[in-house]
Amino acid sequence: MATLYIRRVIVTPDFTTSNRADDVIAAGQPLVVFDPTQPPVPEGATGTESPYCCTLALRNSGGPRLPIQLDGAYPAIEGMKNGFRLALVWNNVEVFRTPTIPSPLKGPNFSVLAQQLDWAFSNRPAFPCRLGGQWLARLYNSDGVTLVAYSKQFLMELCFVWSGPPAGPVNPTTSGTLARPDFEGIYPVDLFRLFFPAPPDIPQGGTPLMPWYFQRVMRTIWGLGLAINPNTAATQHLAYEIEHGAPTYVDDYLGGQFELRRLIRTTFPTMNCYDLAALAQLAIVIFQDSGGAELALSRWIFCDNYGYINPGPLFGWPQYPNCNNPFFARPGVVPFYQEPPNNPDRRPFSNHAWVEVTPDPAFPLNRTVLDATHCLQNAPNDPAMGTQSRNVYLQAQTDQSRGNFTQRYGFRVPRRHATFETAATATGLINNASCDPETILTFVKQILQTATISDTDILVGSAGCQILTNINAVTPDQLSGPVHIEISNFEDEADARFTYSKRERILRRLIPAEGLLPIQEPLGDETIRTSTNITLRRNALLLRIFTSPQPGADIPATTDILLRLATLLDSHIATHAVNSGLEVRPKPVLRENPTISHVVGTAFTLHLNNLDNIGPILIAESDDHRVVLPAGPGTRDGAFKFFAIGVGKVGVRLCVAHREKLTAGVTVVEVEIVEGGDGGGDGDPNTQGAPAKTSHPSNVAASHPRSGRKLRSGLATEQQRGK
């Protein structure tokens, strides 16, 4: 049998997606997802490296077929007088098929055009799904039965949803309006990789799909605490933070910005209930109808005065199957106490967060609980997977013998004005201290001589820049885990004060007043300190040093090390602060005019010169992604690509950071997108213009995931709270 040769596969996405490298695969942009001369590189278990992941719309039966074009060759195809049919096969399952296509009159080359492929299943999927990994093509006679040839395998990743990314509102301004996660116009492919099923995995025969998906989500999250998930870039499994129950990936106990990009890399080894609730909600809200309405009506629930937990494994600690004390880092403290009598070392959850969902949209008030923080030792020995009402969940999870705690539920007041809880006076001083990882390491080595850098991460934007340096610091007991040193250099001191206020508020929520440690010497302009965390603000710079201890850690020694580190770094920062205008700052130069015009449906590139001493991350921001969409980070030689999505005028900011000083260099360009032209391009879908103008509700103005405009990567999960 002669080999069927696939020359290229071209997909036109319906919705915008970002891959793990933060490249943007734009809606409406024809993209070559397979070319044998430039094959995609595998990413994770079944993913594809930049930029070969596409998000398409699920289509009702009888609706439009798939926007997938396939070019190939078969030596004898012109002899197939009655035409041919083609099928795409994934994991030995025929997923897509064509009707009969006329054979070429001459030569071996053929094309299957967009809208000719359709689902091969008798019942096309009616549920969001993902198909990633190895594919091959089969060539049939016109009868669709007689197999003529098949191709070699090729790599492709396709995701299917009903509508565009969730679009908020994150901060509703009217009472009674639920806050909703905002994906900022872009689906992150890593959410699909974690949670979406393949079509053959979707239950048939009338199984209610929403409860089934809840269980899939919660088992996936629980599994992150048992082993490395092959669909991530993780280097370790995750675990509950057992000293204070502190969050690492979300920035507020009422939700907030969730650092999905860092979670996928397991940048921090621990999570708490806020982190787990945020991840669960992100997995749930991508289950929407064709109009973009969330079907599960998820709500973030914050509960004060939660109580003691019943015996069962804690997230990430399966070796303690009867844990009833979630805070057991200190020597002599254990995860389980047999009571009575009551043991003073056993501690409750002073507060807790989870997500509530509606399994059946026909009954929106019938809400059930999703919570991956803790399982029960008794059956079913699973995290809360949406099968229990709140009352049943609380009765099962909390230890009633320790007293009847009166749970109180938090509400978020709609925010009309940004306020911060500080009386500090603005100094007007600007950071001019070197904050690069190598400099940070020199200070750490003054205390921990064997310390090394394990990982770094940089965020860049017009509002400021952030660098995270993770240190493998071998402490005397070797049980304190890595030390995380995060420095955020804001352009506006008010932003630094507001962010400090949020961080302080979280710690005061988590830790009773007696657990907050005194500041015996001047440290920063504002400082809060616990046994494993020091957060301080100095001028417009925020410094956070924290760690996650293991059971039996020498907490006093760890606390002392963090204080000494904070003192050294704060002195370094304070000594080098300067008045505005005297700081070392990048001075990029725009090659193009600062006011430009492009035609809707095209792609364009802006360039910066004079990029000496800048950091490795270059980020573009747009005032409105519905008009101009950045295509991803800039290149090291200063090139930024954009897609012209819709008609209008927007401001675009090209942002770089000084490699050592962490000061931002921002170049502003005014861009007008006008009607006219055919979108340009030279015939290659990967160099053609941008997507045609769309009306997807997902295209909302937002910052890039690595942008420091909010000094956070990832997705908003904030919810208005209610009983």
Short mmCIF file of all heavy atoms in Angstrom, two decimals, residues 240-242 244-246 271-274 276 303-310 312-315 323-327 346-354 371-375 393-394 397-399 405 407 509-510 512:
data_model
loop_
_atom_site.label_atom_id
_atom_site.label_comp_id
_atom_site.label_asym_id
_atom_site.label_seq_id
_atom_site.Cartn_x
_atom_site.Cartn_y
_atom_site.Cartn_z
N TYR A 240 -0.82 20.87 50.70
CA TYR A 240 -1.37 21.93 51.55
C TYR A 240 -0.26 22.54 52.41
O TYR A 240 0.62 21.83 52.91
CB TYR A 240 -2.48 21.37 52.44
CG TYR A 240 -3.23 22.43 53.21
CD1 TYR A 240 -4.24 23.17 52.61
CD2 TYR A 240 -2.92 22.70 54.54
CE1 TYR A 240 -4.91 24.16 53.31
CE2 TYR A 240 -3.58 23.68 55.25
CZ TYR A 240 -4.58 24.41 54.62
OH TYR A 240 -5.24 25.39 55.32
N GLU A 241 -0.31 23.85 52.61
CA GLU A 241 0.70 24.56 53.42
C GLU A 241 0.37 24.37 54.90
O GLU A 241 -0.67 24.82 55.37
CB GLU A 241 0.70 26.04 53.04
CG GLU A 241 1.99 26.77 53.42
CD GLU A 241 2.03 27.16 54.88
OE1 GLU A 241 1.17 27.94 55.30
OE2 GLU A 241 2.92 26.65 55.60
N ILE A 242 1.26 23.68 55.63
CA ILE A 242 0.91 23.13 56.95
C ILE A 242 1.40 23.96 58.13
O ILE A 242 1.28 23.51 59.27
CB ILE A 242 1.43 21.69 57.08
CG1 ILE A 242 2.95 21.64 56.86
CG2 ILE A 242 0.69 20.76 56.13
CD1 ILE A 242 3.58 20.29 57.17
N HIS A 244 0.70 27.75 58.30
CA HIS A 244 -0.38 28.72 58.49
C HIS A 244 -1.55 28.50 57.53
O HIS A 244 -2.57 29.18 57.66
CB HIS A 244 0.14 30.15 58.28
CG HIS A 244 1.18 30.57 59.26
ND1 HIS A 244 0.95 30.62 60.62
CD2 HIS A 244 2.47 30.97 59.09
CE1 HIS A 244 2.05 31.02 61.25
NE2 HIS A 244 2.98 31.24 60.35
N GLY A 245 -1.41 27.59 56.56
CA GLY A 245 -2.44 27.47 55.53
C GLY A 245 -2.45 28.67 54.60
O GLY A 245 -3.51 29.16 54.21
N ALA A 246 -1.25 29.15 54.22
CA ALA A 246 -1.15 30.38 53.43
C ALA A 246 -1.30 30.09 51.94
O ALA A 246 -0.84 29.07 51.44
CB ALA A 246 0.21 31.04 53.68
N MET A 271 -0.16 24.89 48.39
CA MET A 271 -1.40 25.61 48.11
C MET A 271 -2.22 25.66 49.39
O MET A 271 -1.92 24.95 50.36
CB MET A 271 -2.20 24.92 47.00
CG MET A 271 -1.45 24.75 45.69
SD MET A 271 -2.41 23.85 44.44
CE MET A 271 -3.59 25.10 43.92
N ASN A 272 -3.26 26.49 49.37
CA ASN A 272 -4.23 26.44 50.47
C ASN A 272 -5.63 26.37 49.87
O ASN A 272 -5.80 26.22 48.65
CB ASN A 272 -4.05 27.62 51.43
CG ASN A 272 -4.77 28.88 50.97
OD1 ASN A 272 -5.02 29.06 49.78
ND2 ASN A 272 -5.11 29.75 51.90
N CYS A 273 -6.64 26.51 50.72
CA CYS A 273 -8.01 26.35 50.23
C CYS A 273 -8.38 27.44 49.23
O CYS A 273 -9.16 27.19 48.30
CB CYS A 273 -8.98 26.33 51.40
SG CYS A 273 -8.97 27.82 52.43
N TYR A 274 -7.83 28.67 49.38
CA TYR A 274 -8.14 29.72 48.41
C TYR A 274 -7.61 29.34 47.03
O TYR A 274 -8.29 29.51 46.01
CB TYR A 274 -7.50 31.06 48.81
CG TYR A 274 -7.69 31.53 50.22
CD1 TYR A 274 -6.84 32.49 50.76
CD2 TYR A 274 -8.71 31.04 51.03
CE1 TYR A 274 -6.99 32.94 52.06
CE2 TYR A 274 -8.87 31.49 52.34
CZ TYR A 274 -8.00 32.44 52.85
OH TYR A 274 -8.14 32.88 54.13
N LEU A 276 -6.98 26.32 45.89
CA LEU A 276 -7.71 25.17 45.36
C LEU A 276 -9.10 25.57 44.88
O LEU A 276 -9.58 25.08 43.85
CB LEU A 276 -7.80 24.08 46.44
CG LEU A 276 -6.46 23.44 46.81
CD1 LEU A 276 -6.58 22.66 48.12
CD2 LEU A 276 -5.96 22.53 45.69
N CYS A 303 -15.81 31.39 54.23
CA CYS A 303 -16.45 31.08 55.50
C CYS A 303 -15.49 31.37 56.64
O CYS A 303 -14.40 30.80 56.72
CB CYS A 303 -16.86 29.60 55.52
SG CYS A 303 -17.52 29.03 57.09
N ASP A 304 -15.89 32.27 57.53
CA ASP A 304 -15.15 32.50 58.77
C ASP A 304 -15.60 31.51 59.84
O ASP A 304 -16.74 31.03 59.81
CB ASP A 304 -15.40 33.93 59.26
CG ASP A 304 -14.21 34.85 59.01
OD1 ASP A 304 -13.08 34.34 58.96
OD2 ASP A 304 -14.43 36.06 58.85
N ASN A 305 -14.68 31.22 60.78
CA ASN A 305 -15.05 30.39 61.93
C ASN A 305 -15.48 29.00 61.49
O ASN A 305 -16.48 28.46 61.96
CB ASN A 305 -16.18 31.08 62.72
CG ASN A 305 -16.19 30.66 64.17
OD1 ASN A 305 -15.14 30.44 64.77
ND2 ASN A 305 -17.37 30.55 64.75
N TYR A 306 -14.70 28.39 60.59
CA TYR A 306 -15.10 27.13 59.96
C TYR A 306 -15.15 25.98 60.96
O TYR A 306 -16.14 25.25 61.04
CB TYR A 306 -14.13 26.80 58.83
CG TYR A 306 -14.42 25.52 58.09
CD1 TYR A 306 -15.38 25.48 57.09
CD2 TYR A 306 -13.71 24.36 58.37
CE1 TYR A 306 -15.64 24.31 56.39
CE2 TYR A 306 -13.95 23.18 57.68
CZ TYR A 306 -14.92 23.16 56.69
OH TYR A 306 -15.17 22.00 56.01
N GLY A 307 -14.06 25.77 61.71
CA GLY A 307 -14.06 24.71 62.71
C GLY A 307 -12.99 23.67 62.49
O GLY A 307 -12.15 23.77 61.59
N TYR A 308 -13.01 22.63 63.32
CA TYR A 308 -12.05 21.52 63.25
C TYR A 308 -12.51 20.53 62.19
O TYR A 308 -13.70 20.35 61.95
CB TYR A 308 -11.95 20.82 64.60
CG TYR A 308 -11.29 21.66 65.68
CD1 TYR A 308 -12.04 22.58 66.42
CD2 TYR A 308 -9.95 21.53 65.96
CE1 TYR A 308 -11.45 23.35 67.41
CE2 TYR A 308 -9.34 22.30 66.95
CZ TYR A 308 -10.09 23.20 67.66
OH TYR A 308 -9.50 23.97 68.63
N ILE A 309 -11.53 19.85 61.57
CA ILE A 309 -11.87 18.90 60.51
C ILE A 309 -11.92 17.48 61.07
O ILE A 309 -11.20 17.14 62.02
CB ILE A 309 -10.86 18.97 59.35
CG1 ILE A 309 -9.43 18.68 59.82
CG2 ILE A 309 -10.94 20.32 58.66
CD1 ILE A 309 -8.42 18.58 58.68
N ASN A 310 -12.76 16.67 60.48
CA ASN A 310 -12.82 15.26 60.81
C ASN A 310 -11.64 14.52 60.19
O ASN A 310 -11.02 15.01 59.24
CB ASN A 310 -14.14 14.66 60.33
CG ASN A 310 -15.26 14.87 61.31
OD1 ASN A 310 -15.06 14.79 62.53
ND2 ASN A 310 -16.46 15.14 60.81
N GLY A 312 -9.14 12.44 57.98
CA GLY A 312 -9.07 12.14 56.56
C GLY A 312 -7.84 12.78 55.95
O GLY A 312 -7.23 13.68 56.54
N PRO A 313 -7.43 12.36 54.76
CA PRO A 313 -6.21 12.90 54.15
C PRO A 313 -6.38 14.36 53.75
O PRO A 313 -7.44 14.78 53.29
CB PRO A 313 -5.98 12.00 52.94
CG PRO A 313 -7.32 11.41 52.64
CD PRO A 313 -8.03 11.28 53.94
N LEU A 314 -5.31 15.12 53.93
CA LEU A 314 -5.23 16.52 53.53
C LEU A 314 -4.60 16.58 52.14
O LEU A 314 -3.77 15.73 51.79
CB LEU A 314 -4.38 17.27 54.55
CG LEU A 314 -4.38 18.80 54.55
CD1 LEU A 314 -5.75 19.34 54.91
CD2 LEU A 314 -3.33 19.31 55.54
N PHE A 315 -4.97 17.58 51.36
CA PHE A 315 -4.44 17.71 50.00
C PHE A 315 -2.91 17.62 50.01
O PHE A 315 -2.23 18.39 50.69
CB PHE A 315 -4.88 19.04 49.39
CG PHE A 315 -4.27 19.33 48.05
CD1 PHE A 315 -4.76 18.73 46.90
CD2 PHE A 315 -3.20 20.21 47.93
CE1 PHE A 315 -4.19 18.98 45.67
CE2 PHE A 315 -2.62 20.48 46.70
CZ PHE A 315 -3.12 19.86 45.57
N CYS A 323 -5.71 12.53 59.04
CA CYS A 323 -5.36 13.88 59.50
C CYS A 323 -6.60 14.62 60.01
O CYS A 323 -7.60 14.74 59.30
CB CYS A 323 -4.71 14.66 58.36
SG CYS A 323 -4.36 16.38 58.74
N ASN A 324 -6.53 15.09 61.24
CA ASN A 324 -7.58 15.98 61.77
C ASN A 324 -6.99 17.28 62.32
O ASN A 324 -7.67 18.04 62.99
CB ASN A 324 -8.44 15.28 62.82
CG ASN A 324 -7.66 14.92 64.08
OD1 ASN A 324 -6.45 15.14 64.17
ND2 ASN A 324 -8.36 14.35 65.07
N ASN A 325 -5.69 17.49 62.03
CA ASN A 325 -4.99 18.72 62.42
C ASN A 325 -4.16 19.18 61.22
O ASN A 325 -3.10 18.62 60.95
CB ASN A 325 -4.08 18.46 63.63
CG ASN A 325 -3.23 19.68 63.95
OD1 ASN A 325 -3.71 20.82 63.90
ND2 ASN A 325 -1.96 19.46 64.26
N PRO A 326 -4.63 20.17 60.46
CA PRO A 326 -3.96 20.51 59.20
C PRO A 326 -2.67 21.32 59.36
O PRO A 326 -2.02 21.61 58.36
CB PRO A 326 -5.02 21.34 58.47
CG PRO A 326 -5.84 21.95 59.56
CD PRO A 326 -5.86 20.95 60.67
N PHE A 327 -2.29 21.65 60.60
CA PHE A 327 -1.11 22.50 60.80
C PHE A 327 -0.11 21.75 61.69
O PHE A 327 -0.17 21.83 62.92
CB PHE A 327 -1.53 23.83 61.43
CG PHE A 327 -2.62 24.53 60.65
CD1 PHE A 327 -3.91 24.61 61.15
CD2 PHE A 327 -2.35 25.07 59.41
CE1 PHE A 327 -4.90 25.24 60.42
CE2 PHE A 327 -3.34 25.69 58.67
CZ PHE A 327 -4.62 25.77 59.18
N ARG A 346 -3.89 20.76 68.51
CA ARG A 346 -4.79 20.58 67.37
C ARG A 346 -5.45 21.91 67.05
O ARG A 346 -5.99 22.58 67.94
CB ARG A 346 -5.84 19.53 67.69
CG ARG A 346 -6.74 19.20 66.50
CD ARG A 346 -7.84 18.23 66.88
NE ARG A 346 -8.76 18.02 65.77
CZ ARG A 346 -9.99 17.53 65.88
NH1 ARG A 346 -10.45 17.19 67.08
NH2 ARG A 346 -10.75 17.37 64.81
N ARG A 347 -5.40 22.31 65.78
CA ARG A 347 -5.90 23.63 65.39
C ARG A 347 -6.99 23.49 64.33
O ARG A 347 -6.94 22.60 63.48
CB ARG A 347 -4.76 24.50 64.86
CG ARG A 347 -3.73 24.88 65.91
CD ARG A 347 -2.43 25.34 65.29
NE ARG A 347 -2.61 26.44 64.37
CZ ARG A 347 -1.68 26.84 63.49
NH1 ARG A 347 -0.51 26.21 63.43
NH2 ARG A 347 -1.92 27.85 62.69
N PRO A 348 -7.97 24.38 64.35
CA PRO A 348 -9.05 24.35 63.35
C PRO A 348 -8.69 25.18 62.13
O PRO A 348 -7.68 25.90 62.11
CB PRO A 348 -10.21 24.98 64.10
CG PRO A 348 -9.54 26.01 64.96
CD PRO A 348 -8.21 25.40 65.39
N PHE A 349 -9.51 25.09 61.10
CA PHE A 349 -9.51 26.10 60.04
C PHE A 349 -10.23 27.33 60.61
O PHE A 349 -11.45 27.28 60.83
CB PHE A 349 -10.25 25.61 58.80
CG PHE A 349 -9.50 24.63 57.96
CD1 PHE A 349 -10.18 23.63 57.27
CD2 PHE A 349 -8.13 24.70 57.82
CE1 PHE A 349 -9.50 22.72 56.48
CE2 PHE A 349 -7.43 23.80 57.04
CZ PHE A 349 -8.12 22.80 56.37
N SER A 350 -9.50 28.41 60.83
CA SER A 350 -10.18 29.61 61.32
C SER A 350 -11.09 30.18 60.25
O SER A 350 -12.11 30.80 60.56
CB SER A 350 -9.15 30.66 61.76
OG SER A 350 -8.31 31.01 60.68
N ASN A 351 -10.73 29.99 58.99
CA ASN A 351 -11.64 30.30 57.89
C ASN A 351 -11.37 29.33 56.76
O ASN A 351 -10.39 28.58 56.79
CB ASN A 351 -11.51 31.76 57.45
CG ASN A 351 -10.12 32.09 56.92
OD1 ASN A 351 -9.73 31.61 55.86
ND2 ASN A 351 -9.37 32.91 57.66
N HIS A 352 -12.22 29.34 55.78
CA HIS A 352 -12.11 28.35 54.71
C HIS A 352 -12.81 28.92 53.47
O HIS A 352 -13.65 29.81 53.57
CB HIS A 352 -12.78 27.04 55.15
CG HIS A 352 -12.44 25.86 54.29
ND1 HIS A 352 -11.16 25.55 53.91
CD2 HIS A 352 -13.23 24.90 53.73
CE1 HIS A 352 -11.16 24.45 53.18
NE2 HIS A 352 -12.41 24.05 53.04
N ALA A 353 -12.43 28.41 52.31
CA ALA A 353 -13.08 28.82 51.06
C ALA A 353 -13.33 27.60 50.20
O ALA A 353 -12.55 26.64 50.20
CB ALA A 353 -12.21 29.83 50.30
N TRP A 354 -14.44 27.62 49.49
CA TRP A 354 -14.77 26.56 48.54
C TRP A 354 -15.63 27.16 47.44
O TRP A 354 -15.95 28.35 47.44
CB TRP A 354 -15.46 25.39 49.23
CG TRP A 354 -16.78 25.70 49.88
CD1 TRP A 354 -18.01 25.72 49.29
CD2 TRP A 354 -17.01 26.04 51.26
NE1 TRP A 354 -18.99 26.05 50.20
CE2 TRP A 354 -18.41 26.24 51.41
CE3 TRP A 354 -16.18 26.19 52.37
CZ2 TRP A 354 -18.97 26.59 52.64
CZ3 TRP A 354 -16.75 26.53 53.58
CH2 TRP A 354 -18.13 26.72 53.71
N ASP A 371 -14.74 21.11 46.86
CA ASP A 371 -13.65 21.45 47.78
C ASP A 371 -12.61 20.34 47.76
O ASP A 371 -12.91 19.20 48.12
CB ASP A 371 -14.19 21.65 49.20
CG ASP A 371 -13.10 22.07 50.19
OD1 ASP A 371 -11.98 22.38 49.75
OD2 ASP A 371 -13.39 22.07 51.41
N ALA A 372 -11.39 20.66 47.32
CA ALA A 372 -10.32 19.66 47.22
C ALA A 372 -9.32 19.76 48.36
O ALA A 372 -8.24 19.18 48.28
CB ALA A 372 -9.60 19.80 45.88
N THR A 373 -9.65 20.46 49.43
CA THR A 373 -8.69 20.66 50.50
C THR A 373 -8.50 19.41 51.34
O THR A 373 -7.39 19.11 51.79
CB THR A 373 -9.16 21.81 51.42
OG1 THR A 373 -9.47 22.96 50.62
CG2 THR A 373 -8.09 22.19 52.42
N HIS A 374 -9.57 18.65 51.53
CA HIS A 374 -9.54 17.59 52.55
C HIS A 374 -10.55 16.52 52.18
O HIS A 374 -11.64 16.82 51.70
CB HIS A 374 -9.90 18.22 53.91
CG HIS A 374 -9.96 17.26 55.05
ND1 HIS A 374 -11.13 16.99 55.72
CD2 HIS A 374 -9.00 16.52 55.65
CE1 HIS A 374 -10.89 16.12 56.69
NE2 HIS A 374 -9.60 15.82 56.66
N CYS A 375 -10.17 15.27 52.34
CA CYS A 375 -11.09 14.14 52.17
C CYS A 375 -11.46 13.58 53.54
O CYS A 375 -10.77 13.83 54.53
CB CYS A 375 -10.43 13.02 51.37
SG CYS A 375 -10.31 13.33 49.61
N TYR A 393 -22.38 18.92 53.64
CA TYR A 393 -20.92 19.01 53.57
C TYR A 393 -20.33 19.43 54.92
O TYR A 393 -19.37 18.82 55.41
CB TYR A 393 -20.55 20.00 52.46
CG TYR A 393 -19.19 20.64 52.57
CD1 TYR A 393 -18.04 19.98 52.15
CD2 TYR A 393 -19.06 21.94 53.07
CE1 TYR A 393 -16.79 20.60 52.24
CE2 TYR A 393 -17.83 22.56 53.16
CZ TYR A 393 -16.69 21.88 52.74
OH TYR A 393 -15.47 22.49 52.83
N LEU A 394 -20.89 20.46 55.54
CA LEU A 394 -20.36 20.93 56.82
C LEU A 394 -20.52 19.88 57.92
O LEU A 394 -19.63 19.69 58.75
CB LEU A 394 -21.05 22.23 57.23
CG LEU A 394 -20.69 23.47 56.40
CD1 LEU A 394 -21.58 24.65 56.78
CD2 LEU A 394 -19.22 23.84 56.59
N GLN A 397 -17.75 17.23 57.19
CA GLN A 397 -16.35 17.63 57.23
C GLN A 397 -15.91 18.15 58.60
O GLN A 397 -14.75 17.99 58.97
CB GLN A 397 -16.09 18.73 56.18
CG GLN A 397 -16.12 18.24 54.74
CD GLN A 397 -14.86 17.49 54.35
OE1 GLN A 397 -13.83 17.60 55.00
NE2 GLN A 397 -14.94 16.72 53.28
N THR A 398 -16.79 18.79 59.33
CA THR A 398 -16.37 19.43 60.58
C THR A 398 -16.66 18.53 61.77
O THR A 398 -17.64 17.79 61.80
CB THR A 398 -17.07 20.79 60.76
OG1 THR A 398 -18.49 20.60 60.75
CG2 THR A 398 -16.69 21.74 59.64
N ASP A 399 -15.78 18.62 62.75
CA ASP A 399 -15.86 17.79 63.96
C ASP A 399 -16.83 18.43 64.95
O ASP A 399 -16.48 19.39 65.65
CB ASP A 399 -14.46 17.66 64.55
CG ASP A 399 -14.41 16.71 65.74
OD1 ASP A 399 -15.49 16.28 66.21
OD2 ASP A 399 -13.29 16.41 66.20
N PHE A 405 -19.49 25.32 65.82
CA PHE A 405 -19.00 26.60 65.32
C PHE A 405 -20.11 27.29 64.52
O PHE A 405 -20.81 26.65 63.74
CB PHE A 405 -17.78 26.39 64.42
CG PHE A 405 -16.50 26.19 65.18
CD1 PHE A 405 -16.33 25.08 66.00
CD2 PHE A 405 -15.47 27.10 65.08
CE1 PHE A 405 -15.16 24.89 66.70
CE2 PHE A 405 -14.28 26.92 65.77
CZ PHE A 405 -14.13 25.81 66.59
N GLN A 407 -20.67 29.27 61.61
CA GLN A 407 -19.97 29.74 60.42
C GLN A 407 -20.54 31.08 59.95
O GLN A 407 -21.76 31.28 59.97
CB GLN A 407 -20.08 28.70 59.28
CG GLN A 407 -19.20 27.48 59.48
CD GLN A 407 -19.87 26.38 60.28
OE1 GLN A 407 -21.07 26.44 60.52
NE2 GLN A 407 -19.11 25.37 60.68
N ARG A 509 -6.11 37.72 58.15
CA ARG A 509 -7.23 36.79 58.11
C ARG A 509 -6.80 35.39 58.51
O ARG A 509 -7.53 34.66 59.18
CB ARG A 509 -7.81 36.74 56.69
CG ARG A 509 -8.81 37.82 56.39
CD ARG A 509 -10.16 37.50 57.01
NE ARG A 509 -11.16 38.47 56.63
CZ ARG A 509 -12.43 38.40 57.01
NH1 ARG A 509 -12.83 37.41 57.77
NH2 ARG A 509 -13.28 39.31 56.64
N LEU A 510 -5.62 34.99 58.06
CA LEU A 510 -5.16 33.63 58.28
C LEU A 510 -4.67 33.39 59.69
O LEU A 510 -4.83 32.30 60.25
CB LEU A 510 -4.01 33.30 57.31
CG LEU A 510 -4.37 33.00 55.86
CD1 LEU A 510 -3.10 32.94 55.02
CD2 LEU A 510 -5.12 31.68 55.77
N PRO A 512 -4.03 34.42 63.77
CA PRO A 512 -4.48 35.22 64.92
C PRO A 512 -3.42 36.24 65.31
O PRO A 512 -2.23 36.09 64.99
CB PRO A 512 -4.70 34.18 66.01
CG PRO A 512 -3.90 32.99 65.59
CD PRO A 512 -3.89 33.00 64.10
#
